[in-house]
Amino acid sequence: MPSYSTVRLAAFERVRGKEFVRRPHGLAFPAAWRQEVLDFYRIGKREPDKINQVPIRRLNEVIRAVAPDLLCVARGATLDDDTPWLYAYEPLPVPVMRQLIHSWIRDLHTPRSRAKHPEITERAIKLSASLDVAGLSWQPHEVDLFAGYTSPGGTFEPDPLVYQLLPDALAQNITKLDPYRFENVEMEFRIAAAARGAELVSWPPRDHQDDDGAWWKFSFVIALTVQTVPFADFRLHVRTGVRRWRTGGPVPMPYRRSVSAYLLAQEPWLAQTSGTARLAVSRLATDRRTALPEWVRGGPEGMLGRLRFSRELPDAAAVQENPDTWIAGKDGIEIGVVHATSMGGHGVGTGLMPRDRSPLTNWAAEAFTPYLTRLGDFTRSHYALVPRNLPRTPTAKTKEEQALKKAEFEREQQLGRRVAVARVLGGAPLVAEARWQNPRTRDALVKQLADLLGLDGEGGTGPERSWTTPELTVRLYLEDADFVAARLVFPDGRPQRKNLPAAIGTRRREIADLCERDGRPDVQAVVIEIGHPKSYRPDIVDPKFAARLGYADAGRLTKFITVPSSKWGTATKANIAHRAQQTWSHVLRQLGVCTVPEHSVDELPDNLEYVALWMVKRRADGPTRTRRTAPVAVRVSAANGSVTGWDPESGDWIPYRELLLSLARHAEVPGEYEQFDDDDGAAVDETGEEDGDPAGLITEEERGEQQRTTTWVPDLEDQRAETAQFVRAMLYSLRDRPVLLLSHAQNSRLHWPWLANGRLRLDALQFGPNPAQHITLYGENLCHVRVRDHASDETPQWFAPDDDSHDHGFASGLWHRPDAAGDHRVYYSTGEKPHTAKHAVKTASKIATRIPVKKKPKEGAEDKEPEPVIDTGTNAWNPTALEIAVLAVPEEETAEPGTWAAVTHQLRRAPDYNVTLKLPLPLHLAMKTTQYVLPHEDDTDESAAEEGAGE
């Protein structure tokens, strides 16, 4: 990777002293309505007293589908009737609002809820009659798009409406620019309705013909979001990318998921409204009762079905059956159905490389003048960034000498693994079981285990293999997968969720009984060859959950590897070997075998202990239909390389292996706990993003930041109290030693609100309602670092600039603002290019040609100049800039905050991995515990999910 001295973020900050004011009309949710609607919504809810805000997510969703010019700035109806909920530059007429409100009232309860509570129908009629829709009044407002306040900790918190109105205003400015032009390509952009921020999509879509002659369609996308930064002013992030459209046949409808569709009509959708140049956004899903495609919030009982259209929405089944016809335009309507990865391959690659991203971002930025200016390029930190024990590729003068050194290096690594396994197991043998379906997988598992640990031969020829070395004895049992990997069995062969607990319990007991009979009480881990997750339809027949629970009952860890399949690109010899090697590497890490990076920062002690906090979350719309959140803490010792987890029941640290087994044994089985009604769950789109209601459970200063990822949780305050108790007790056990506490913003701030930017104060910690306290009260040698990734665009896209040649690229390192002082607290960490991105060329473009680097011709071949190529079909590499915020350091006049940021960056360079980790090693290990609390979250054997460093 070329050496670059700076990185450039796609982030903008306001010009000091400049005002940015707009004058839209605003509509408040009447305070007089609130209690009536709230009482109606609470009917049949599990904990009605904890529901204290009116849920308007469904109404906002329909507005985006039929009235994209309206801007929804709240997801829960505000308590203050002076604060608008909707903004518009052309307000909707009262009759139209009446239709929307009445349809929304009917939609507040699902058909299932109405069947269980017959009084809902009568109450809905009375409520609709009592609401004075005619009294709704759009009022002109003068809105300061830079409005906000600075928190006590020094973080600027924009007003909640700024998160929606500022990006929209800038998006409108972008549409007024001349069309985007790059290398003889011209594009025009339209604003698309967005749940957060603003989105612009190039329209009409562009065509691409692949090497096989198939045609595909795609658009460029520009997304604008307002973000806060610890101890600094707010920023605008600009994300550029590719939107791929479904063509070439019917739209595959994913099970229990919806598919987004962008609609552009020549005439307005609703009667009595004006036309719009914006793209409306709606969603298609399969109706469970009819098994036919329907518009979400549509169908015979949905909101869309009760609105009076000037033109009807096209038949959902017709759009699903032939998306090509609609994207080209039919009956005055153009519809683009978004391609999701679950639909299979696409001829257009994902993402943009710097050659496309830089000019597109620069073009959009012209619309920000004179209100915003781009952040200056960030410079490389001077701190050491490479761990002392990071393996280095052996070098030599000749190939033979290099091969010898490489072989010696591999033997040293194998010896190190054997010693580490023996240490973790206390000198006991390593005993594993492999339950296989395909002989190729079986043979690869045997060979890769031997290669990983440096074992001679195949350990025998039968179903029992064994190896003995001076450091470690290894035994491996090879068994047919049999019923362990079979689909769960349901009564009458009909998978129904009401019978899922019994199906899981039966398989769990069968596996536990099998372990009791096999006479192998010393087996520590089981590898199971299993079908691809997408082969289990419906998903409740997937046996992984039951298998993990059953083996955990017997004290055995589990790891899954998928059956070789050409459909999923996993049938080649090299791929099977790679997946087998990754599977055993993961088994060793589950056992607690881990090489800890030895930091090279002289100012910090060598005996640092690293502790990672992670909130393991089960969603109510997942396979178990049960919501659960559990805090997990993992400790990694730099002194001896041990990995342990905090056990709140015993108040002690236990081996990582025991932590995983304990989490599995305590995993909730559906049906054993009271479930949340579907109304309380979050809507999920094809990207898996949640679009839930905060329900008034976050403070005003949190709302702007958390409204993008927060779902409604009835017992949130209780969970926050439990999390606080968990963290305090865990930290108390470490008060006498040097500790680096690592937390993750998006993962944990809902349950530990202190992690929200607006709550933070330097060198302090806060739990619950208690005031913030200096960090030394929790440990004299305690440091706290919070990381944040690109989820919800919270960290900006970036590239390494070369303004002379415009040959922009990427660079690894730790970066800070050029004017950063010694006490600077916020850094960005970027990693090395992984092997999974080896084909990503920095000069690649989706729309322009390039000349490949000339390669030396093979002996006897003709020396030819390379032909121009275009990389529309190639996936781009989009590496994340991981934000590292040093929130608290032990005491003044010790190591600078930058040293702690450097150590955190080094923890991403774990010696056991050949790429930079997405997260620091302790957080990575804590995140992996999710697989034992939420077994369906197991990434099977896809190494990219474990080692990848890109988006």
Side-chain angles (χ1 to χ4, degrees), residues 278-504:
R278 300 190 182 211
L279 289 160
V281 179
S282 190
R283 294 186 290 132
L284 291 167
T286 300
D287 186 277
R288 298 185 201 175
R289 293 164 295 178
T290 65
L292 296 174
E294 292 285 2
W295 294 108
V296 173
R297 310 299 171 206
E301 298 186 40
M303 292 179 66
L304 293 175
R306 301 189 187 98
L307 300 179
R308 187 162 58 252
F309 287 87
S310 59
R311 63 178 309 136
E312 294 296 327
L313 280 172
D315 179 65
V319 175
Q320 183 269 337
E321 181 65 26
N322 194 355
D324 297 72
T325 298
W326 292 97
I327 198 169
K330 180 181 180 181
D331 300 332
I333 303 174
E334 299 170 44
I335 302 177
V337 179
V338 177
H339 174 85
T341 54
S342 61
M343 298 177 185
H346 196 282
V348 177
T350 59
L352 298 178
M353 293 296 279
R355 186 181 174 195
D356 282 331
R357 176 164 294 151
S358 175
L360 183 59
T361 303
N362 291 340
W363 173 77
E366 295 176 14
F368 303 163
T369 305
Y371 309 109
L372 300 174
T373 183
R374 192 165 193 159
L375 268 66
D377 292 349
F378 278 42
T379 59
R380 191 182 297 275
S381 167
H382 66 275
Y383 298 104
L385 300 179
V386 179
R388 293 191 180 99
N389 60 340
L390 187 70
R392 290 171 173 79
T393 304
T395 58
K397 295 181 180 179
T398 65
K399 290 184 178 180
E400 292 77 10
E401 185 180 350
Q402 185 174 14
L404 290 173
K405 286 189 174 183
K406 183 178 180 181
E408 181 182 357
F409 174 72
E410 289 178 352
R411 287 192 295 270
E412 291 176 355
Q413 286 191 309
Q414 292 166 340
L415 174 61
R417 293 190 192 102
R418 295 197 301 270
V419 171
V421 172
R423 173 181 56 79
V424 168
L425 299 180
L430 170 62
V431 186
E433 180 179 303
R435 289 198 163 266
W436 57 276
Q437 299 186 53
N438 189 302
R440 300 172 68 198
T441 303
R442 175 199 61 197
D443 296 343
L445 286 171
V446 173
K447 184 179 187 306
Q448 292 304 317
L449 177 61
D451 288 351
L452 196 66
L453 295 175
L455 309 174
D456 292 333
E458 296 183 354
T461 58
E464 297 184 16
R465 309 294 177 93
S466 64
W467 299 265
T468 300
T469 71
E471 303 80 23
L472 179 69
T473 296
V474 179
R475 294 201 300 272
L476 174 64
Y477 298 97
L478 303 173
E479 299 283 357
D480 188 278
D482 199 24
F483 73 91
V484 171
R487 293 160 60 97
L488 294 181
V489 178
F490 288 80
D492 302 324
R494 296 179 57 198
Q496 293 180 311
R497 292 195 179 274
K498 66 180 181 179
N499 296 322
L500 180 57
I504 290 175

Side-chain angles (χ1 to χ4, degrees), residues 100-233:
L100 289 169
I101 295 294
H102 289 173
S103 299
W104 167 64
I105 294 296
R106 289 290 302 273
D107 193 65
L108 282 175
H109 289 281
T110 64
R112 187 177 67 180
S113 295
R114 292 198 293 271
K116 290 168 60 176
H117 304 278
E119 70 273 19
I120 288 177
T121 300
E122 183 179 352
R123 290 277 298 273
I125 295 173
K126 291 181 178 179
L127 178 60
S128 296
S130 68
L131 299 182
D132 180 20
V133 180
L136 290 176
S137 177
W138 290 89
Q139 298 294 327
H141 283 261
E142 184 173 276
V143 179
D144 179 4
L145 298 183
F146 289 162
Y149 68 96
T150 301
S151 73
T155 300
F156 186 85
E157 286 285 294
D159 284 353
L161 58 85
V162 172
Y163 289 90
Q164 201 68 30
L165 298 189
L166 175 58
D168 185 79
L170 296 172
Q172 292 182 54
N173 288 354
I174 291 175
T175 61
K176 298 173 184 176
L177 297 173
D178 291 335
Y180 173 67
R181 296 182 179 88
F182 181 71
E183 307 240 352
N184 299 320
V185 173
E186 183 174 295
M187 294 182 183
E188 292 189 354
F189 284 79
R190 291 179 180 270
I191 299 175
R196 54 177 176 258
E199 181 181 88
L200 299 103
V201 179
S202 66
W203 200 269
R206 293 185 59 79
D207 293 318
H208 167 64
Q209 187 177 28
D210 63 18
D211 294 338
D212 296 326
W215 286 92
W216 308 86
K217 288 185 178 290
F218 71 99
S219 297
F220 276 14
V221 175
I222 303 172
L224 311 178
T225 57
V226 171
Q227 308 288 347
T228 60
V229 181
F231 321 122
D233 201 358

Side-chain angles (χ1 to χ4, degrees), residues 91 214 275 315 345 398 458 492 523 541 565 578 678 736 914 934:
D315 179 65
T398 65
E458 296 183 354
D492 302 324
V523 172
V541 303
S565 169
H578 174 72
D678 284 348
D736 59 346
N914 59 4
L934 316 176

Side-chain angles (χ1 to χ4, degrees), residues 521-545:
D522 52 354
V523 172
Q524 297 126 351
V526 182
V527 173
I528 306 168
E529 187 176 15
I530 201 165
H532 192 280
K534 294 179 182 178
S535 67
Y536 296 104
R537 287 294 178 265
D539 59 355
I540 60 174
V541 303
D542 191 326
K544 287 199 293 292
F545 194 170

Side-chain angles (χ1 to χ4, degrees), residues 49-67:
D49 294 340
K50 292 188 177 182
I51 302 175
N52 57 13
Q53 261 197 341
V54 177
I56 55 176
R57 172 174 53 82
R58 290 176 174 85
L59 181 53
N60 291 345
E61 185 178 78
V62 171
I63 287 173
R64 289 195 294 273
V66 298

Side-chain angles (χ1 to χ4, degrees), residues 239-251:
R239 173 173 53 84
T240 53
V242 173
R243 177 67 37 77
R244 302 181 297 173
W245 306 105
R246 176 67 187 183
T247 54
V251 178

Side-chain angles (χ1 to χ4, degrees), residues 542-684:
D542 191 326
K544 287 199 293 292
F545 194 170
R548 180 150 280 163
L549 296 179
Y551 279 114
D553 292 340
R556 303 179 185 184
L557 300 166
T558 45
K559 181 60 185 170
F560 302 97
I561 181 171
T562 57
V563 177
S565 169
S566 56
K567 179 179 180 180
W568 307 110
T570 59
T572 65
K573 182 178 179 180
N575 183 274
I576 295 172
H578 174 72
R579 293 187 295 112
Q581 190 272 337
Q582 290 295 319
T583 297
W584 287 122
S585 295
H586 193 103
V587 169
L588 296 186
R589 283 192 283 273
Q590 289 188 30
L591 290 170
V593 176
C594 179
T595 305
V596 182
E598 296 178 9
H599 76 75
S600 54
V601 180
D602 295 334
E603 295 89 339
L604 298 179
D606 293 332
N607 63 337
L608 260 180
E609 296 201 351
Y610 309 107
V611 177
L613 175 69
W614 192 263
M615 303 300 299
V616 178
K617 303 172 183 178
R618 170 182 290 146
R619 287 165 37 146
D621 60 350
T624 67
R625 311 302 292 167
T626 307
R627 178 183 283 117
R628 180 192 178 191
T629 300
V632 171
V634 171
R635 180 180 66 171
V636 178
S637 173
N640 57 20
S642 64
V643 183
T644 54
W646 177 249
D647 180 15
E649 294 183 1
S650 65
D652 201 359
W653 294 90
I654 60 177
Y656 187 64
R657 169 176 176 266
E658 294 182 16
L659 172 67
L660 297 178
L661 293 174
S662 174
L663 290 172
R665 295 190 190 105
H666 289 84
E668 296 173 4
V669 176
E672 294 183 355
Y673 297 79
E674 186 171 6
Q675 299 179 11
F676 290 82
D677 191 278
D678 284 348
D679 288 350
D680 300 333
V684 181

